[in-house]
Amino acid sequence: MNQQMNQNQNQVKNPKTSVPKTPEMNDRDFINDMLATEKYMTAAYSTALNEMSHDGLYEDIRSIFNETQDCQRELYNLMFKNGWYKLEEEDTQKVQQKLQQFYNYTTTQFPNHNNVQ
């Protein structure tokens, strides 16, 4: 119970915009569906870009990828603004521990680790 209360205190969110609870899709459902689609598309475009050899096609797909990524970000912002997407603020000490863990990994696993900033 204490942990649940602590998690609620760490949530970063906006007041929730109410939507009707009916079998029909509402604004939240539509936007959530579009956001999921945009996330899927950006992942697919990213894979395509990694494997593309034709420069002209690469530039065209990169432009589409950027538009798709921007659309995904706008949908995320809309969901967050309406209180339909919430985040949890992480404890600063935990973030520092993960940062140190990653830094230790980079200094032992990557070649030329002195160049990693």
Side-chain angles (χ1 to χ4, degrees), residues 48-107:
L49 289 170
N50 288 334
E51 299 175 358
M52 201 155 293
S53 63
H54 189 275
D55 288 340
L57 185 56
Y58 175 85
E59 289 303 322
D60 288 343
I61 297 298
R62 187 169 64 109
S63 177
I64 295 168
F65 168 81
N66 289 336
E67 290 175 18
T68 304
Q69 184 65 37
D70 290 345
C71 184
Q72 179 270 321
R73 183 66 181 170
E74 289 174 23
L75 290 167
Y76 163 80
N77 286 337
L78 183 59
M79 292 281 292
F80 185 75
K81 178 183 146 197
N82 283 296
W84 300 329
Y85 210 110
K86 58 187 169 195
L87 308 170
E88 286 192 24
E89 183 179 343
E90 190 56 81
D91 178 55
T92 304
Q93 185 177 1
K94 286 183 180 178
V95 172
Q96 289 298 324
Q97 287 172 345
K98 288 295 180 184
L99 179 62
Q100 185 63 46
Q101 180 183 356
F102 177 75
Y103 177 76
N104 291 342
Y105 177 81
T106 62
T107 59

Side-chain angles (χ1 to χ4, degrees), residues 8-55:
N8 287 339
Q9 291 174 348
N10 290 340
Q11 287 185 348
V12 179
K13 61 183 180 177
N14 290 312
K16 190 178 274 188
T17 301
S18 62
V19 290
K21 294 185 188 229
T22 63
E24 291 84 28
M25 288 182 70
N26 55 45
D27 288 345
R28 180 188 179 278
D29 296 331
F30 282 113
I31 296 170
N32 193 49
D33 186 53
M34 290 187 308
L35 179 60
T37 300
E38 295 297 326
K39 286 179 177 182
Y40 171 78
M41 290 173 60
T42 56
Y45 285 134
S46 180
T47 300
L49 289 170
N50 288 334
E51 299 175 358
M52 201 155 293
S53 63
H54 189 275
D55 288 340

